[in-house]
Structures are given as C-alpha cells and as structure tokens.
Amino acid sequence: MGLGIWAMHFIGMSAFRLPVSMQFNVSVTILSIFPAVLSSYLAFYISNRINVTRWPQILAGMIMGIGIASMHYIGMSAMEMDIEYSYRPFIFVLSVLIATIVSYVALYIFTSMQRFMGNFYVKLITSLLMWIAISSMHYTGMEAVVFYTEGTVLPATQHGHHMNLHMLIIAVTVGIGVILVFSGLSSLLDRYVDFRLNNFDALTGLPNRANSKKCSIPLHQPAWQ
C-alpha cells in the first residue's frame, strides 16, 4: 500500500515540467517512501482490530492522511533546481485535509461495511477512494506551490537529466510490478495453506472427518456405536 502511494507520487512528480534544469536528490526521494509505508501499516493495524470504534478509525484516517501529505512534501523537497518556491498556506492545509478525510472514509468503509456489501465491492470502493485521496492530495499540493525566478529562466535541455528521469520511472514501474506479482503469489499461497489446514489433517494428510462428505458416522454419535 505504502509503495503504491509513493509510486503514484513519484510518477506524478516525473510528469511535472518547469522551464529550468531540475533533478531529484536520491537520498531525500528514498526518505519520502518511509512516511507512506509507515502510515499505511499503522492505519491498517488500527482499523483492522476487532470491534474498532469511531475514534480509532478517525485516528487511522488522520495517520494515513498525514502520511500521504508527508510523503508528498518530502518528495517535493527532493527537487533540486535553480529557482526558489514556497507554498500557499490555505491550499497547503486543504491538501492535507483532503488526504485525511478521504482516507478516513475509505478505511471506514473497509472496516465497517463488509457485512452490508460483498468483500469485492468493499475492496473496489476502498481502492477508488484511496485513489481519489492520493491523487487529489498530490495535485492540490502542486497547486499550492509558488515558484520565484530571478533574471532569465533557463530551459531544461539537459539530455542526461531526461535520460536519468526516464530510467528512474522505468525502475519504479518495474519494481512496483514485481511487488504486485509477489503479493498476488503470496495471497494465493496463503489461501492454499488455509484450505489445507481447514480441510486436511496436518499429521496424516487425509481429509478432515468434519469436512468429508463420505463419512457415514454422524458427528454427534460415538464412534464405537
């Protein structure tokens, strides 16, 4: 989840263009991954607890929203260019509120609505809401930026920078793809293990008596009878 949030931000930043030379500080870019990953873990840890109440859900939404915003603005600070920039306070705060509110709604649906809707629809709606939260926060945050120039603005014509940026985009895309493949394989393995544990005896490998349709002895009747 955290890497997916970060990948959207990074690719969105890569689509951003200014008429100046710009590159990304690698250390700060890597640092921006951690708020997304940590906030995702904490938010799901809190919201997935049994009988979670309203206030923990609000806390989980706040953690997720602040994590998304922190990831975005740390990623913004990784930009190295020849011009200065600042943020409009109102739009800055608005971007954080958007991420927090939509994240809370998504987590609330994920944890509270599964008894009313099928699990597939809950996951679909939650995914769409998180997409809205991440994208809205990202582009609202970009709208909050004000760039200041002094003198002549230099065109961004450095070929090496574009090649480096393209390689970074390819690396991120391939990396996220590999993670998704391994996540899918891990999910399939977990389902297979659960199926084996629920339907087969761990010692003998034979089907469990309670799940065997061929068992002719009623479960409530002693075996000696």
Side-chain angles (χ1 to χ4, degrees), residues 2-3 6-7 9-10 24-38 70-72 74-79 168 172:
L3 289 174
W6 179 82
H9 162 78
F10 181 79
F24 292 98
N25 184 292
V26 176
S27 299
V28 180
T29 301
I30 294 175
L31 179 64
S32 68
I33 299 174
F34 290 94
V37 174
L38 182 60
S70 300
M71 174 270 305
H72 173 83
I74 292 175
M76 286 287 294
S77 67
M79 294 191 304
L168 284 173
V172 170

Side-chain angles (χ1 to χ4, degrees), residues 126-204:
T126 303
S127 299
L128 291 173
L129 286 173
M130 288 307 302
W131 164 62
I132 293 172
I134 300 164
S135 301
S136 299
M137 188 277 135
H138 176 84
Y139 291 109
T140 304
M142 296 303 296
E143 181 66 23
V145 187
V146 178
F147 294 97
Y148 302 96
T149 61
E150 294 182 2
T152 304
V153 179
L154 302 175
T157 57
Q158 295 184 10
H159 182 69
H161 162 64
H162 290 295
M163 289 298 295
N164 183 43
L165 185 58
H166 292 160
M167 292 301 295
L168 284 173
I169 294 173
I170 293 172
V172 170
T173 304
V174 172
I176 294 299
V178 171
I179 291 172
L180 289 175
V181 169
F182 277 100
S183 298
L185 293 176
S186 175
S187 177
L188 291 176
L189 180 61
D190 287 341
R191 292 184 182 183
Y192 175 75
V193 171
D194 288 340
F195 174 79
R196 295 288 302 183
L197 291 175
N198 293 329
N199 295 280
F200 293 88
D201 183 77
L203 181 62
T204 64

Side-chain angles (χ1 to χ4, degrees), residues 4-25:
I5 293 172
W6 179 82
M8 181 275 149
H9 162 78
F10 181 79
I11 295 175
M13 288 297 300
S14 302
F16 181 65
R17 288 288 181 269
L18 282 173
V20 295
S21 174
M22 182 182 69
Q23 59 185 356
F24 292 98
N25 184 292

